[in-house]
């Protein structure tokens, strides 16, 4: 039985580690003066308030109030007892616990034990059984070496509806635990059947390396069966909060200097084989705010390498938008040629060229400008003006003058105009931004809250977005038009449904909405059902799509006019003549744009 750890040993352990080194394994820290700052790992925040003082060897979050020394940090972060935290820090310092003072293993959550037992079972079936030969042959066809299979603990679920159930029951797990595990489907009469059958199995882990679920890739050619199936959401597994390969990628990011975001786990594995070990992927869904926050805690340097096809580039645009909303990221984008995904690119061009693609990741500005080049016909004057307008909006977001000048030259060359004319437009745009920023900081903060709440409450029943999504799902021509225009649904829920449809369409012949809805998260199904029940026609005119898009733009203009009118009333109450003139000009300009849209 373990006794009390000697105080001298506790002090020695504490003195042999640097709290910054320990916490850096969990949080991306940046030195600010004498302290290190980062995003708190204990609550979600946009502005870093988590502080580590290297001199005093303490941490403190000024947001949630948690603080303490290195032991306390691990007690909070990994839910450890004090003796367990001492033992973990001692291991970090390569120190051996005094004889008789090691901590006995804590009881493991039975749901975690089930997941890890299933992972080991599937792995052994793949490697050591006759039934696993089918999975092993497929793994070899995908160039998954024994080393890769071992590292990712890849396994095989046989085409049998009770083999895992029989094994886990034999291990002593209770019926209620098996039901809660998500590994089984329960019939109406209460019987359990294996959820995963005839699939190559990929364990999904939390950021501490505990298996919490699975993703299975079908081996059969039956396209009526979903190509990929994830565990359902359980007490352990929430898709929106999990990133594939995150634990290993966190460690690799310290040496590689960044994280690389992929669409799927096969891309992560392909990158790993190519020497890119800091790869992570979301769980078959669009990137979420929760996942962005997880990444921000680990590294501010993110390279996005989604598939090179239209769906992948569309998803890249949305991911960039999410990262920029969160703020504080240094983003790079890799757009592979010939619409290849990373796995296909490595097979065709080799490891060295792929590594060069990662090293040569383009900036987000470069990415957007290239997208605009594809969007507009630069031999047409009207489209050229629209190109310049969008390009200037993008350049106005840059804060580095050198970077801005570099892209001014490029936009001018593409448009066939002088750099001075682009700079003039850019200066006007920056003045508008400064004016907007002054109003933002002059107004009391609570004034913005009602507008934000209103938009969040109405996006799910937005008739314009509903119509566009309906056509996106039902009309190939409409979908191609929206993708060509790089249209992004303002609502993240609508955008996620659209991206899920693109992925579903890639893996299913003659996909239908009725089948698709079974593969959509519960929280998004209501959007599809509402659109289907609205009795909308699948046909549309050439004018309808631009009209609907303009309707969304008009709404944004109307909302902006209301904001400016409120600001104008405030300026009048303060008798601020200069601001009154400035706001009046802005309102007139918005009303001019409003008139153009309405005239359309």
């Amino acid at each position: 039985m373990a006794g009390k750890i000697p105080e001298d040993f506790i002090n020695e352990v504490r003195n042999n580690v640097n709290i910054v080194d320990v916490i850096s394994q969990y949080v991306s820290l940046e030195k600010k003066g004498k302290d290190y700052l980062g995003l708190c790992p204990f609550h979600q925040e946009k502005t870093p308030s988590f502080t580590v003082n290297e001199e005093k060897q303490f941490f403190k979050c000024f947001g949630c109030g948690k603080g303490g020394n290195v032991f306390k940090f691990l007690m909070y972060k990994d839910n450890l007892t004090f003796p367990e935290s001492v033992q973990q820090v001692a291991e970090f310092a390569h120190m051996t616990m005094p004889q008789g003072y090691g901590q006995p293993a804590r009881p493991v959550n039975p749901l975690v034990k089930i997941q890890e037992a299933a992972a080991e079972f599937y792995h052994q079936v793949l490697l050591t059984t006759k039934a696993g030969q089918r999975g092993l042959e497929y793994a070899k066809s995908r160039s998954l070496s024994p080393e890769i299979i071992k590292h990712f603990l890849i396994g095989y679920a046989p085409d049998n509806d009770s083999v895992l159930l029989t094994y886990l029951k034999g291990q002593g797990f209770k019926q209620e635990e098996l039901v809660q595990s998500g590994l089984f489907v329960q019939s109406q009469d209460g019987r359990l059947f294996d959820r995963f059958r005839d699939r190559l199995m990929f364990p999904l882990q939390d950021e501490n390396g505990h298996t919490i679920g699975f993703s299975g890739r079908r081996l059969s050619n039956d396209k009526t069966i979903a190509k990929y199936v994830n565990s359902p959401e359980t007490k352990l597994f929430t898709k929106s909060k999990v990133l594939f390969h995150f634990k290993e990628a966190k460690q690799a990011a310290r040496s590689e200097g960044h994280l690389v975001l992929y669409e799927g786990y096969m891309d992560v594995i392909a990158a790993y084989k190519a020497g890119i070990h800091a790869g992570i992927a979301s769980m078959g869904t669009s990137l979420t705010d929760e996942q962005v926050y997880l990444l921000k805690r680990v590294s501010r340097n993110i390279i996005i390498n989604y598939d090179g096809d239209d769906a992948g580039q569309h998803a890249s645009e949305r991911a960039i938008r999410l990262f920029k909303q969160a703020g504080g990221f240094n983003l790079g984008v890799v757009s592979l040629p010939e619409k290849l995904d990373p796995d296909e690119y490595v097979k065709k061009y080799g490891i060295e060229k792929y590594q060069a693609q990662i090293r040569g990741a383009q900036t987000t500005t470069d990415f957007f400008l290239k997208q605009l080049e594809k969007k507009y016909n630069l031999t047409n004057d009207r489209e050229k003006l629209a190109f310049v307008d969008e390009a200037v909006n993008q350049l106005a977001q840059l804060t580095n003058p050198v970077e801005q000048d570099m892209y001014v030259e490029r936009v001018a060359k593409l448009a066939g105009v002088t750099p001075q004319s682009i700079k003039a437009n850019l200066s006007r745009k920056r003045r508008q931004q400064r004016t907007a920023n002054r109003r933002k900081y002059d107004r009391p903060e609570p004034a913005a809250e009602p507008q934000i709440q209103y938009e969040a409450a109405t996006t799910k029943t937005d008739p314009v977005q509903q119509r566009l999504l309906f056509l996106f799902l039902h009309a190939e021509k409409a979908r191609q038009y929206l993708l060509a225009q790089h249209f992004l649904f303002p609502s993240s829920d609508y955008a996620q449904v659209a991206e899920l449809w693109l992925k579903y369409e890639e893996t299913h012949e003659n996909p239908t909405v009725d089948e698709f809805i079974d593969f959509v998260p519960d929280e998004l199904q209501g959007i599809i059902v509402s659109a289907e029940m609205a009795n909308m026609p699948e046909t549309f005119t050439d004018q309808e799509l631009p009209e609907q898009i303009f309707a969304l733009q008009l709404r944004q203009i109307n909302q902006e006019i209301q904001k400016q009118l409120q600001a104008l009333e405030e300026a009048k109450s303060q008798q601020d003549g200069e601001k009154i003139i400035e706001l009046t000009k802005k309102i007139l300009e918005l009303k001019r744009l409003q008139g153009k849209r309405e005239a359309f």
Side-chain angles (χ1 to χ4, degrees), residues 467 470-472 474-475 531-532 534-541 544:
R467 173 60 175 162
F470 181 83
L471 291 176
F472 192 92
H474 285 278
E532 294 297 302
N535 295 320
M536 289 183 283
E538 295 183 14
T539 57
F540 61 96
T541 64
E544 183 180 357

Side-chain angles (χ1 to χ4, degrees), residues 401-413:
V402 175
E403 186 181 11
Q404 199 172 75
D405 268 3
M406 181 173 68
Y407 287 114
V408 162
E409 294 284 344
R410 178 174 166 183
V411 171
K413 185 175 180 180

Side-chain angles (χ1 to χ4, degrees), residues 170-190:
Q171 297 297 305
F173 291 108
K174 300 175 183 177
Q175 176 84 357
E176 182 182 354
E177 295 168 346
L178 296 173
V179 170
Q180 294 176 359
S181 71
L183 292 168
F184 306 98
V185 177
Q186 190 170 27
S187 65
Q188 291 183 348
D189 60 5

Side-chain angles (χ1 to χ4, degrees), residues 233-257:
E233 299 210 343
T234 66
K235 292 179 180 179
L236 296 179
F237 178 61
T238 304
K239 281 189 292 186
S240 64
K241 298 178 181 178
V242 176
L243 291 162
F244 181 73
H245 199 239
F246 190 43
K247 180 179 183 293
E248 292 84 355
K250 286 193 303 181
Q251 298 167 352
R254 288 196 287 275
S255 59
E256 295 183 21

Side-chain angles (χ1 to χ4, degrees), residues 261-277:
L261 178 63
Y262 295 98
E263 280 194 64
Y265 51 78
M266 289 304 296
D267 296 325
V268 173
I269 293 171
Y272 191 91
K273 291 189 295 182
I276 308 297
H277 294 173

Side-chain angles (χ1 to χ4, degrees), residues 212-407:
I212 57 175
F214 291 88
S215 187
R217 204 280 187 198
R218 78 155 191 255
L219 299 194
S220 77
N221 294 320
D222 185 353
K223 294 188 177 181
T224 63
I225 301 173
K227 188 174 182 180
Y228 296 100
V229 170
N230 288 335
S231 291
E233 299 210 343
T234 66
K235 292 179 180 179
L236 296 179
F237 178 61
T238 304
K239 281 189 292 186
S240 64
K241 298 178 181 178
V242 176
L243 291 162
F244 181 73
H245 199 239
F246 190 43
K247 180 179 183 293
E248 292 84 355
K250 286 193 303 181
Q251 298 167 352
R254 288 196 287 275
S255 59
E256 295 183 21
H258 54 246
L259 289 165
V260 185
L261 178 63
Y262 295 98
E263 280 194 64
Y265 51 78
M266 289 304 296
D267 296 325
V268 173
I269 293 171
Y272 191 91
K273 291 189 295 182
I276 308 297
H277 294 173
I280 38 86
S282 55
M283 295 291 92
T285 60
S286 302
L287 190 68
T288 65
D289 291 329
E290 292 95 334
Q291 290 166 336
V292 168
Y293 187 76
L294 282 175
L295 296 176
K296 196 172 186 180
R297 284 203 287 106
V298 174
S299 177
R300 303 300 180 93
N301 300 320
I302 306 293
I303 295 175
I304 302 169
N305 184 194
Y306 284 171
D307 294 354
D309 59 13
D310 291 339
Q313 297 306 289
H314 188 71
S316 294
E317 291 180 24
R318 182 175 180 273
I320 291 169
R321 185 168 66 175
L322 275 180
F323 282 119
K324 290 195 171 183
Q325 284 174 352
F329 284 98
N330 175 30
L331 298 175
V333 185
V334 173
S335 297
L336 297 175
E338 303 170 42
K339 299 187 175 183
L340 298 176
D341 63 32
D343 191 22
E344 293 167 337
Y345 185 91
V346 170
K347 287 177 180 176
K348 185 170 183 178
Y349 293 105
I351 290 173
E352 289 185 7
K353 285 193 175 182
Y354 180 67
Q355 290 179 341
Q357 288 279 355
I358 296 296
R359 289 194 301 270
Q362 60 192 328
T363 65
T364 56
T365 304
D366 196 19
F367 171 78
F368 277 117
L369 289 180
K370 286 179 179 176
Q371 295 300 102
L372 290 179
E373 286 182 57
K374 297 175 185 176
K375 178 178 176 180
Y376 292 105
N377 175 11
L378 297 183
T379 62
N380 178 283
D381 288 345
R382 181 177 59 81
E383 294 204 29
K384 190 182 294 184
L385 289 170
F387 165 80
V388 169
D389 187 50
E390 280 202 57
V392 166
N393 286 340
Q394 185 65 32
L395 299 188
Q397 300 175 28
L398 301 177
T399 56
N400 185 330
V402 175
E403 186 181 11
Q404 199 172 75
D405 268 3
M406 181 173 68
Y407 287 114

